[in-house]
Each structure stands twice: as C-alpha cells, then as structure tokens.
Amino acid sequence: MFDNLALSDNGFLFDTRTGSTYSLSSTGTLLLRSLIAGAAPDGLPAVLVDEFELDGRTAAQDVEQFLLRLRDLRLVASDTPPTEAV
Amino acid sequence: MSLTIAVTGLNATDNPAPGVPVIRSIRAGCAAANTDCHIVGLAYDVLDPGNYMADVADDVYLMPFPSQGADVLLTRLEAICTQRPIDVLIPCLDSELSAYLRIQDALRDLGVHLLLPDEAQLKLRSKASFDVLAERLGIPVPKSVVLTDPAKIDTLRETLDFPVMVKGQFYDAYLAHTPLDVRMCFDRLASKWGLPVIVQQFVPGTEFDVACVGDGQGGVMGQVAMRKMQLTDKGKAWGGVTVCDPALDAFVADTVARLKWRGPCEIEVMKAHDDGGLYLIEINPRFPAWIYLSVGAGRNLPWLTVQLALGHTVEPLPPAPAGVLFLRNSVDQICLMDDFQSLTTTGELHKPARPEVLR
Amino acid sequence: MSHMPYVKPTIIQHINSLANKHGRGPSRHSLERIDGVSLTELLERFGSPLFVFSERRLRQRVREVRRAFDLRYPKVQFAWSYKTNYLDAICMVMHDEGAWAEVVSEVEYELALRNGVPPTQILFNGPYKPLPALKNALADGSKVHLDHYDELYAAEQIARELGRKVPVTLRLNMDTGVHPRWDRFGFNLDNGEALSAIRRLHAGGHLELEGLHCHVGTFILDPQAYGRAAARLAQLAIDVRRETGVPVRTLDLGGGFASRATLHAQYAPGTDSTPPVDDYAEAIADALLSAGFPPDELPTLLLETGRSMVDESGSLITRVVANKRLANGARSVVIDAGVNVLFTSFWYRHDVLPVVDRGGMLEDTVVYGPLCMNIDVVRPSVLLPPLEIGDALVVRPVGAYNVTQSMQFIRLRPAMIMIGRDGEVDLIRRAEELDDVKRAEHLPARFRKS
Ligand SMILES: Cc1ncc(COP(=O)(O)O)c(C=O)c1O
C-alpha cells in the first residue's frame, strides 16, 4: 500500500501519486521505512525502543503523534488505527 | 589562472533576479580571457530555476534570507569558503546589500573580494533621500515630497503640479491625478512598504535604463544604455535595444561622479517630452536583470566588475554602441529529481565537472 | 542499539519550498546560560516563568551610551525614564551609574524619592501632574516640564504663592519627519504655539524658562530625527535668548532611541538595522555644537533614554506546557508566559530560542502564551526544534516596558531575578501571590458568608 512512497536514506520523501515532497528526521525516516517494509503500526514503538535508549511511554507517544501527522498529510489511510499510548 | 566567483539571486522567473544573466556574462568573459572559472550560485529558494540550468552554476548553495541578519550570512559564507574558497562575490539583490556591507571586511579576510558602494552612497540612493541628491549634489530629480503624514497631502499642490507619481519607499509606484488619488495610494503603499511615501512630480517623457559600473572615485568604468521595447505586466523589460545618446551618457557620468558610486548599478533616467531635459528617476544598487545585453554590446560589465573587485587595472570602456537588441524568452527545462532532493536535504548541489568542450 | 542520539520523529511537507526558506543556514541557536549562570538551574530554583536581568549587561550598555555622548558633547546628563522599568534594583543600578530620574506621575515621583534621588535631580514630565504634586515638585526644585497652558497657569499660581521666580521647562512637539507624530504632548513649535507660550511665560514674570524639552517618539530608527529636533530646539533657545536676554540652560531631547529588538514590521533583524548609539549622539551633538551658542552658554544636554538602556539586559525564561497541531497542520507550542507579562510581543519579533537544543528538525512554529485569549501570541512564526513538555525557552529582549506594563490577568506575575556582576543571583521581585492582588479589595459585609 506504500508503493507510491519513494523514501531515500537522507529523509527525502517523494509521493509519486501526488507529486508532494517531504523531509523527515532520521527517526521519522526509520519509522516510515518500517511501515513501508510492512511493519504494523503497533510494532513501531518497539522499533524506537530497540534502536535508542528510550522509555516505552515516550516511544508510544511519539509514534502516535507521528502517525497522526502521516494521517493529516494523507500519507497513510485515515483508518489506520493509531497505536494506543500507554 | 582559475577563479571562483559567487553570484547571488538565481531566480529566473518573469520577474527575474540578475544572478543568471550575471553568471552568463562572467562565463563569456572568462572564455574570452581564457580563464578557468568556477561559479558558485548562492540561491534563496530550492525552486530558483537558475539552480538547475546547465552551464550556469557549478555549485549551488542555499542561503539564509537577508532578514536573518549579517552574522548568519557570514557564518554560512565561511562554511562555503572552507569547501570552495571564493575569489569574488557579486550580490545581485537590493535587500542583501546592507548585510554584505556589514561583513565585507570579514569576507576580505577570507579572500573574498566585493565591489560595493559604501553605506552613505547606499542611503543617498534611497528614494527618501532624493531631495538630498538634488540639494546637496545638484543632480536633477523630479521635484518630490516625502510624506510621513497623510495630513500633508492637501498641501501638495503648493509644491507639485498634478499628476504626480506616488512611490513606496522600496517598491511600487502609481500615477495620481488628484490629492484624493494620492490619499488612496498613500494608504496602500504605507501599509505595504511602511513610511515614508514619496510623491514625485510626474515627468512625461521617455525612460532610459543605464547599467553601469563606478570606480568609487567618481569615474564610470563602463555603461550600457537601453530603451525598453517590450514590457511584462509588471513593467519589467522583456525586450530592449541599446541606445547611444551623448547627453544621456554625460548625464550618467555626471551622476556617478557626484555620487562617487562604487560597483554596479542601474540608473533610470527620464527624458522629458517638453524640453528634452534629463531627470534621475531611480538608482538600483546592483545590476539589472537585462545585463547580458552588455555582453552583446561588447561591454561585459559583470566581467569588468570581477576584474575591478580583484584590484586589476583596467581601462574604462567607452559607452556601448546603439542597436543591439535583446528579447527574453521562457523555456521549460527538465530538472533532475536528484538535484532537487540534494538541495532540499543538504542545501547544496554540486554539478559534475563540465566536459572540456563546453568551456 | 544506534549510536545516534534520539530525536523526535518528524515529517515536514515542502510547501512551495517554504520548508527551506531559511536555506541551510546555521540558524540553530540555543542559550543555556546568561552571564555564566545556568538557566535550567534558575528555573529549578525560582520556578517558571522567570524574568532574568543581567546587571553586567545593563551597566555595560549604560556606559556605552554615556560614552557615545560624552565623547561628543561637553555637558550631558542622563535621567532614567522610570516607566521603562521601575524595579528598584534596576533603578538603583541606573542611579549608581549616575542617572537622574525622569518621571511622569506623582507615583513615579514618589518612587524616585524613595530610591534616594534628590528632588533637584528629578525631571517631571506628563500631561497630568495633580496640583499637590506639581506644588511639591516646583517648591523642591525639580525640573518640571510644562505640557500645556493650564499647567503653565497653575505653575504661575504656585510661584506667586511661593513668592519667588520658579524655573520651568517647556515641553515642545514638532514635525521631525517621524511617524506617528507625538504631537499631543507639549506646545507645538511648527504653528508658533511654543513661541507664544514662551513669550507669555516671560511676560507673566513668575516663571523663568530654564529649559526646552522634546521627546520625538519611541523606537526611533532615524538618528536624523534627533538632529532635526536638536537643531530646532537650539535655534529656539538662541531666539529666546536674544528676545529675553535670559539664556536657556538645558535642552532635553527626551528618550526614544531604538533598542536592538526586531519589530514585526522590520525586514532585517534589529541587531543589523538599529543604528549604533553613536549615530544618535553624532546627530544631536552636531546640531547643538553648530547652532551658534556662545561657548560659555552652551546648554546642558539632558536625555531620558529608557528602552535602549535596559531592553537587552532582560530575558524571560519560560517552559513549554503543550505541543499542539493547528487545524491547518501548522505546529504550535504553548508556553507558561503570556502577553500579560510580555506586552512587547505585540510589537517585537522577539528572539525565542531553546535553552537546550536536543536536535531534530527545525519546524515553523506558532508560540502561544497560556492565556485563554486569542490575542495571546508570543511569536506567530519561529523555527524551533522538537520540544518536550517542560523544555525551557528564552524570550528576549524583554527588559523594557514589560515589567511595568505587566498585569495579573488570568495568571499572576512571575518572579524576577538579577544576576550580579560576579555571577551572584538575587531575587528582586518574588512571584506574585493571590493576596498581593486581593489586598486592596474590600468585600461589603452583606456579601460575606458568616
Ligand atoms: C517624556 C518621555 N521621556 C522618555 C521616554 C523614554 O522613551 P524610550 O524608552 O523610548 O527611550 C518616554 C517614553 O515614552 C517619554 O514619554
């Protein structure tokens, strides 16, 4: 479902369907890359926790906000359920 | 010899900055002088078309807007110079000049040469100082009134005859036939460009635009006079022809001499229909966007500027011959997404070395 | 485990390439310390928000301004414009640096007296000086600046009662080419009102014209406006001398020099566009020295510089209380200090920068205060890195007018501290408490619950 998103390692994103371009931070790039690779949204906080010294609650909140942004920008379908912040 | 020359303002839309034509002129100058040159484009926008044009800039760097101040500008240039030392830098936008003036000593220490007017000259050419130009320097300008208070509009008739030109302190001008018109323009201009608003006697006549380079001692090192033939809807030249009028050349030489202008500028002159008198309308403290015409006319002013900035001794060029025509065109160019991405993410774009044959 | 530090996951859309409008400029700034003192520690100790004043910075600036004038004109006296900031600690620094006091009400007059300023070193301005205050000031030899005819009549009456000639200063206004024009204070010079008032004053026989005063306006970016004002005051003084035989002893050019703050309407930052104080000094001194005063009658130059002295010595430290996306997708943060204590937000594009920059992408952000009022905007747009709740920000410069114009609207006023010259930290005003505000109220008995 993300075959329209061309994401490069330096965080430059091109949406082939809309022509819009974006910049992502390194963590944003990591998360979106995981989504593109098929990760479930629920699994994303763990991706952050594995990669950084980060508590689970911050990871969950940051992921939730990031997914909301992706939804606002219509990069993910609006029915993708956001992960529950704990 | 090899030179690295930086030029700002790569916007090349229908209201273009002079950066691209200045670069094209410099490339022509280098080719004629058998000098290797490396051009650094200093752009303000990822989407400036000049960033992507072939044979314009070899490297492009995004710059902080002048509104961020001189310190930020200097830091950026220092960083660029560690990658690629710059020999000469030509600023092409009005809004940059005071920031470049502030940092020119620091730039000189970095080996970057500029050819700029000083702060006092820059102030004198601002529209609000035009009456000073007239009074102190004796340069003929249309009679003008500097308005800071709309209440003064009613007394304009004591000094000026209608119609008048009403001008914002930086940009925009409107023709006004009555004090009521002035009142309307005043509000529009004041809210957009702030105060003061300048009201100038309207001089019916023909406008000439003269690009020139002053040596800072009162001398003109080169000048090209142009009459617009075709205008955009914003009144910018889209086509024009060089003219040669000894009276106009003398007027420009005299103006530059009185101002002791240093560096490039564009002088707008009105030749009155009634008595043929010449009036200074405006001085832009940088090259005009039509400056490539100077190459066509055999008076390559940007290249001249590079040499002067480097401190080379050069002979002044005679005024340009008449009858050289230019017509601007617009072209859709194909750009690489990779180039766009590079500018967006790193603020830099480095073009592959140009093959020898293209030089 | 990555070696990269964690930054917030962020995505920013390129809208007409606006996301890059600042280029790749090194526009990241943060400020962890002021005069070597950690701002994080200050917040922990005194709470947030917190006004921080640097004594070092203040004294440096006062000396810089004074030097600019002393170099160019032989007789200069500064008077601290109380309304700019009347925290006692600030006023005491100013007086310690040799400034007199400039006040515009009986309240401020009282403040100056309490700070130990002798009445003869108080300049009394303002359109309303209640009669008892006017009487005291004239009797005690303060420099009273008459604002209008009714005040002139009142002063004459007081002089009569005192049974002696009383020196006064006339406040004047004129067109100096700046806008807006402050023509509601004093007598107008352009239409001849000033000269008639002087003649009238002289003819009355009870008052003596000691000085002329003109306050051009505030945040005046054109030093030449002062040159023009000084030239005209000087010319008038010379004319008056010729007509009455009495030399005018003081010329007061008021306040109004711009600080290096940036106005919303300005393109370049104030650090670039505000003229150096030397330019103002040059314009004024030139005008006075070339006016043609006999050398032994050179008037004393009085200055009531406020903002330009104190603005940059003050910073406000505040904490982020919320991150929020607006309906249009724009990013905003809410901080714990609002326009009730940051009046200058309406006019200044304040610097807003994090105390600690933990990395991450800069994004255009609206900075809102905590008030439940739509106008509570501290910065409509500023590039900031991702911020967490509790992260500290610095807002500056805030030294001028914010303390005096702050109010306990919705929230109480915060604590204020001064960092001394040796880095010592002193509380100069504790955080306001509800009782401070309510002490002056009286609840009629019938509303009291028994
Ligand atoms: C009479 C007078 N003097 C001095 C000042 C101080 O002005 P500033 O803070 O702009 O220097 C003011 C401010 O409004 C004033 O009204």
Side-chain angles (χ1 to χ4, degrees):
Chain A
M1 74 178 273
F2 293 113
D3 53 359
N4 58 317
L5 296 187
L7 177 63
S8 64
D9 288 341
N10 59 11
F12 180 84
L13 173 67
F14 176 54
D15 183 337
T16 57
R17 236 175 263 155
T18 64
S20 294
T21 58
Y22 308 82
S23 291
L24 288 90
S25 64
S26 51
T27 42
T29 308
L30 175 69
L31 293 179
L32 184 57
R33 181 155 318 292
S34 307
L35 281 176
I36 292 172
D42 290 353
L44 292 182
V47 172
L48 290 184
V49 171
D50 284 352
E51 196 71 19
F52 302 96
E53 250 172 75
L54 193 67
D55 64 280
R57 196 178 126 159
T58 306
Q61 283 179 0
D62 287 356
V63 166
E64 175 172 12
Q65 290 300 315
F66 182 69
L67 288 174
L68 285 170
R69 280 302 287 149
L70 293 185
R71 235 169 56 176
D72 280 351
L73 295 168
R74 298 185 211 307
L75 289 167
V76 299
S78 55
D79 50 11
T80 309
T83 51
E84 190 83 11
V86 277
Chain B
M1 191 174 87
S2 170
L3 283 176
T4 298
I5 298 165
V7 177
T8 71
L10 300 191
N11 157 23
T13 57
D14 66 347
N15 183 9
V20 170
V22 165
I23 293 173
R24 290 183 67 217
S25 306
I26 291 171
R27 289 226 184 264
C30 284
N34 245 327
T35 304
D36 257 357
C37 71
H38 187 92
I39 303 286
V40 174
L42 304 176
Y44 287 106
D45 198 309
V46 183
L47 290 180
D48 282 348
N51 303 345
Y52 306 95
M53 287 169 71
D55 299 328
V56 173
D58 297 300
D59 298 308
V60 179
Y61 292 89
L62 280 190
M63 301 301 288
F65 264 163
S67 59
Q68 295 222 35
D71 292 345
V72 177
L73 178 64
L74 180 60
T75 314
R76 179 66 172 152
L77 285 169
E78 282 167 346
I80 294 170
C81 281
T82 56
Q83 281 188 34
R84 166 65 74 172
I86 295 169
D87 298 306
V88 177
L89 192 156
I90 303 186
C92 290
L93 306 180
D94 299 16
S95 51
E96 297 169 332
L97 278 190
S98 57
Y100 274 104
L101 277 180
R102 266 166 203 281
I103 60 171
Q104 69 173 336
D105 290 344
L107 287 179
R108 194 175 310 119
D109 293 344
L110 285 174
V112 183
H113 300 81
L114 296 109
L115 191 72
L116 299 178
D118 64 29
E119 191 73 57
Q121 294 166 342
L122 202 59
K123 247 188 216 152
L124 269 179
R125 51 110 346 227
S126 82
K127 285 178 218 156
S129 313
F130 255 44
D131 44 344
V132 183
L133 280 187
E135 280 163 31
R136 239 183 39 216
L137 301 180
I139 298 172
V141 298
K143 237 192 277 171
S144 67
V145 174
V146 178
L147 283 184
T148 51
D149 181 353
K152 282 243 180 92
I153 291 173
D154 293 330
T155 62
L156 280 177
R157 281 194 198 277
E158 293 166 16
T159 354
L160 303 177
D161 298 323
F162 278 80
V164 294
M165 294 301 291
V166 190
K167 299 184 165 187
Q169 62 169 335
F170 297 122
Y171 300 103
D172 283 354
Y174 301 101
L175 188 64
H177 291 274
T178 64
L180 196 66
D181 291 348
V182 177
R183 175 76 221 208
M184 273 156 53
C185 301
F186 181 91
D187 293 338
R188 202 174 333 161
L189 291 167
S191 66
K192 196 155 167 200
W193 304 116
L195 288 170
V197 165
I198 296 91
V199 186
Q200 246 180 21
Q201 183 69 60
F202 175 69
V203 182
T206 309
E207 185 186 321
F208 295 95
D209 299 326
V210 185
C212 64
V213 180
D215 66 2
Q217 258 112 71
V220 178
M221 297 303 292
Q223 65 190 82
V224 176
M226 184 273 290
R227 156 91 193 267
K228 293 175 192 172
M229 296 172 74
Q230 202 182 19
L231 301 178
T232 66
D233 56 359
K234 292 189 183 103
K236 306 283 165 189
W238 195 256
V241 61
T242 56
V243 296
C244 188
D245 172 356
L248 179 62
D249 293 340
F251 181 90
V252 167
D254 189 54
T255 301
V256 171
R258 286 171 197 257
L259 274 170
K260 291 204 168 50
W261 189 268
R262 187 174 137 91
C265 66
E266 179 190 26
I267 298 183
E268 299 180 9
V269 182
M270 192 64 90
K271 182 168 190 169
H273 282 324
D274 53 3
D275 59 356
L278 296 171
Y279 295 92
L280 178 67
I281 299 296
E282 204 161 315
I283 301 177
N284 297 313
R286 35 112 192 123
F287 281 125
W290 52 267
I291 193 61
Y292 190 70
L293 181 62
S294 76
V295 177
R299 306 286 183 270
N300 191 334
L301 299 186
W303 180 240
L304 181 70
T305 301
V306 168
Q307 289 171 297
L308 288 171
L310 287 170
H312 297 170
T313 347
V314 278
E315 287 299 310
L317 302 171
V324 183
L325 215 99
F326 85 94
L327 285 175
R328 204 166 275 168
N329 61 8
S330 35
V331 171
D332 299 339
Q333 61 173 331
I334 304 306
C335 310
L336 297 177
M337 182 55 107
D338 281 351
D339 288 353
F340 176 77
Q341 173 176 340
S342 169
L343 265 183
T344 305
T345 53
T346 67
E348 299 177 13
L349 172 57
H350 305 283
K351 312 269 183 73
R354 288 141 33 90
E356 202 63 36
V357 286
L358 277 182
R359 287 219 181 129
Chain C
M1 184 81 55
S2 162
H3 298 295
M4 304 278 285
Y6 178 71
V7 298
K8 291 249 182 202
T10 311
I11 177 165
I12 299 175
Q13 183 169 14
H14 306 144
I15 301 162
N16 297 332
S17 70
L18 273 182
N20 289 284
K21 68 179 171 182
H22 300 272
R24 284 280 299 183
S27 41
R28 295 192 91 103
H29 297 289
S30 57
L31 186 74
E32 290 193 42
R33 291 165 186 276
I34 291 178
D35 293 352
V37 177
S38 154
L39 299 180
T40 310
E41 283 171 33
L42 284 181
L43 282 193
E44 276 160 18
R45 194 167 146 204
F46 297 101
S48 177
L50 178 71
F51 275 95
V52 175
F53 289 91
S54 159
E55 180 182 350
R56 202 185 291 171
R57 187 78 190 249
L58 181 58
R59 286 186 190 268
Q60 252 172 19
R61 177 63 184 165
V62 175
R63 288 171 195 187
E64 183 188 355
V65 175
R66 219 179 46 203
R67 191 161 172 277
F69 281 88
D70 285 345
L71 277 175
R72 295 176 172 86
Y73 195 78
K75 294 153 88 176
V76 187
Q77 177 61 51
F78 281 89
W80 173 234
S81 176
Y82 261 52
K83 66 174 154 317
T84 320
N85 187 324
Y86 34 65
L87 286 170
D88 285 341
I90 298 283
C91 294
M92 291 316 255
V93 170
M94 297 307 296
H95 297 317
D96 187 49
E97 291 290 336
W100 294 1
E102 185 265 339
V103 303
V104 291
S105 69
E106 69 283 12
V107 181
E108 291 188 2
Y109 194 96
E110 188 68 32
L111 279 176
L113 287 181
R114 293 213 306 198
N115 284 333
V117 182
T120 51
Q121 297 186 2
I122 301 180
L123 318 186
F124 197 175
N125 269 308
Y128 173 44
K129 309 174 186 81
L131 202 52
L134 186 62
K135 260 185 200 157
N136 280 342
L138 285 172
D140 292 347
S142 299
K143 299 203 181 310
V144 175
H145 296 186
L146 301 182
D147 191 79
H148 42 71
Y149 269 110
D150 283 325
E151 203 163 69
L152 191 153
Y153 301 146
E156 279 189 336
Q157 180 56 33
I158 293 167
R160 239 178 256 131
E161 287 165 16
L162 289 174
R164 59 181 158 91
K165 244 188 169 171
V166 172
V168 293
T169 293
L170 277 204
R171 176 162 184 172
L172 309 181
N173 69 71
M174 66 192 83
D175 182 3
T176 57
V178 302
H179 196 80
R181 202 142 104 210
W182 285 41
D183 55 8
R184 50 169 289 197
F185 302 108
F187 298 85
N188 187 268
L189 184 56
D190 303 316
N191 67 8
E193 185 191 22
L195 194 58
S196 334
I198 291 170
R199 290 193 174 130
R200 168 65 190 73
L201 181 154
H202 190 69
H206 295 286
L207 303 176
E208 176 192 303
L209 185 68
E210 178 182 26
L212 297 172
H213 168 273
C214 171
H215 173 71
V216 174
T218 191
F219 217 99
I220 303 299
L221 287 157
D222 178 12
Q224 290 317 316
Y226 287 91
R228 291 188 280 270
R232 296 195 60 195
L233 285 192
Q235 188 55 50
L236 182 64
I238 287 170
D239 293 348
V240 167
R241 164 82 166 98
R242 192 177 311 123
E243 200 171 310
T244 66
V246 187
V248 174
R249 293 195 295 274
T250 60
L251 294 184
D252 184 335
L253 267 296
F257 305 155
S259 72
R260 299 202 303 167
T262 310
L263 305 183
H264 285 302
Q266 270 178 322
Y267 184 67
T271 42
D272 285 5
S273 50
T274 296
V277 68
D278 295 270
D279 291 8
Y280 296 98
E282 188 84 26
I284 293 174
D286 265 8
L288 295 187
L289 291 174
S290 61
F293 289 107
D296 56 332
E297 285 183 12
L298 209 55
T300 297
L301 169 61
L302 297 178
L303 290 158
E304 304 165 351
T305 312
R307 185 192 308 275
S308 161
M309 293 280 194
V310 74
D311 212 5
E312 286 160 76
S313 66
S315 307
L316 177 66
I317 321 300
T318 162
R319 283 194 200 277
V320 172
V321 296
N323 282 290
K324 195 162 180 172
R325 285 280 158 190
L326 303 178
N328 63 1
R331 175 191 178 202
S332 73
V333 299
V334 184
I335 59 175
D336 62 8
V339 293
N340 62 318
V341 296
L342 256 181
F343 190 80
T344 46
S345 297
F346 296 118
W347 213 27
Y348 284 3
R349 195 159 76 221
H350 286 115
D351 254 0
V352 176
L353 59 169
V355 167
V356 179
D357 181 357
R358 276 187 272 93
M361 290 171 71
L362 300 181
E363 187 173 358
D364 222 341
T365 308
V366 190
V367 180
Y368 290 120
L371 308 182
C372 193
M373 291 286 290
N374 208 29
I375 56 167
D376 191 19
V377 182
V378 172
R379 272 291 298 265
S381 157
V382 57
L383 283 180
L384 287 173
L387 296 164
E388 305 265 9
I389 307 307
D391 279 356
L393 298 175
V394 182
V395 182
R396 63 176 189 184
V398 303
Y401 293 103
N402 284 306
V403 175
T404 37
Q405 290 184 295
S406 65
M407 52 178 148
Q408 70 308 318
F409 176 60
I410 301 184
R411 309 196 69 80
L412 299 175
R413 282 170 285 204
M416 307 181 183
I417 60 128
M418 181 179 272
I419 303 176
R421 276 181 288 186
D422 301 320
E424 68 272 34
V425 172
D426 291 297
L427 188 65
I428 56 175
R429 186 183 153 106
R430 66 161 164 76
E432 211 162 34
E433 293 162 5
L434 200 50
D435 280 344
D436 295 331
V437 180
K438 286 287 163 186
R439 190 169 300 134
E441 281 189 40
H442 183 75
L443 187 67
R446 65 182 185 283
F447 296 127
R448 283 185 217 147
K449 301 222 169 102
S450 46

